Amino acid sequence: MGVRVRQADQRDRDQVVRILDEAFHDDPVSSWVFPDEEHRRAVHGKFLGVFADITLEGGRIDLLEDGTATALWLSVPAGVPEEDDTPALMRETADPGNERAELVGRLTGAVHPHDRAHEYLLMIGVSPERQGEGIGEALMRGVLERCDREGTPAYLEASSARSRSLYERLGFTFTGRTVDLPHGPSMWPMWREPQAG
């Protein structure tokens, strides 16, 4: 599938957040963090804006030129990371009274591998009306091809069985240990070794 992708910058922040907000509104993890739909509608964009800001500052955001999909990537070095205040910032920014807004980040951070440098797909979102068309796969292909050329692994957490299937088609494999949200859904950490030729 031929898609036109460009790298987003600060001017695209609101568009990136809008895409993520629409794409993840009914996602199992977002629904667990913000169970009340009306409340989710009010604060979900603020929550996702933290991811956009972190990636704009230190990573790469790919944006489909027609504004229907975006992918947020971070390059993670090898070695034990410093204390990460991102989960607390997620809660403070979006919903200070909601411990789930912080807990989801703490739980995923606890299983994130740090023994090898890798590209981390923090989030990928496709507008609901375009989901199922192969756009997400096409959007990821550029970074994954670079990973293959450079011999760099990639990592992500799948938040649904549907997304897990997509990632498996792209060469990701489940690491064997789910992130189980208390009284909520599971997430699947997935690792991809660089692919030859």
Side-chain angles (χ1 to χ4, degrees), residues 7-23:
Q7 199 164 337
D9 61 28
Q10 191 63 44
R11 293 169 294 187
D12 302 301
R13 180 195 185 275
D14 291 345
Q15 183 179 30
V16 167
V17 172
R18 178 191 52 76
I19 295 166
L20 295 174
D21 190 21
E22 291 174 1

Side-chain angles (χ1 to χ4, degrees), residues 104-146:
V104 67
R106 297 253 177 248
L107 292 174
T108 55
V111 300
H112 194 123
H114 55 261
D115 56 328
R116 292 170 63 195
H118 57 276
E119 291 296 318
Y120 175 34
L121 180 63
L122 182 60
M123 299 194 88
I124 183 169
V126 177
S127 296
E129 69 275 8
R130 300 294 307 274
Q131 291 176 6
E133 296 179 21
I135 291 172
E137 182 174 342
L139 188 58
M140 293 173 66
R141 196 158 301 287
V143 171
L144 295 180
E145 286 173 356
R146 179 171 52 81

Side-chain angles (χ1 to χ4, degrees), residues 174-192:
F174 173 47
T175 62
R177 178 180 169 195
T178 56
V179 174
D180 299 313
L181 302 175
H183 309 291
S186 295
M187 299 174 74
W188 293 269
M190 303 185 78
W191 184 263
R192 181 185 185 272

Side-chain angles (χ1 to χ4, degrees), residues 63-175:
L63 182 63
L64 219 60
E65 281 198 341
D66 69 0
T68 59
T70 189
L72 285 62
W73 292 92
L74 295 171
S75 294
V76 178
V80 179
E82 296 178 15
E83 177 91 22
D84 185 7
D85 62 354
T86 303
L89 182 62
M90 290 157 47
R91 178 178 181 175
E92 177 186 319
T93 301
D95 199 4
N98 181 356
E99 69 178 7
R100 290 180 176 187
E102 180 174 346
L103 184 59
V104 67
R106 297 253 177 248
L107 292 174
T108 55
V111 300
H112 194 123
H114 55 261
D115 56 328
R116 292 170 63 195
H118 57 276
E119 291 296 318
Y120 175 34
L121 180 63
L122 182 60
M123 299 194 88
I124 183 169
V126 177
S127 296
E129 69 275 8
R130 300 294 307 274
Q131 291 176 6
E133 296 179 21
I135 291 172
E137 182 174 342
L139 188 58
M140 293 173 66
R141 196 158 301 287
V143 171
L144 295 180
E145 286 173 356
R146 179 171 52 81
C147 286
D148 292 344
R149 282 193 310 274
E150 297 174 358
T152 304
Y155 175 77
L156 56 80
E157 300 102 7
S159 62
S160 69
R162 179 180 175 194
S163 63
R164 177 183 172 177
S165 297
L166 161 68
Y167 302 134
E168 286 173 339
R169 287 197 308 270
L170 293 172
F172 286 86
T173 57
F174 173 47
T175 62

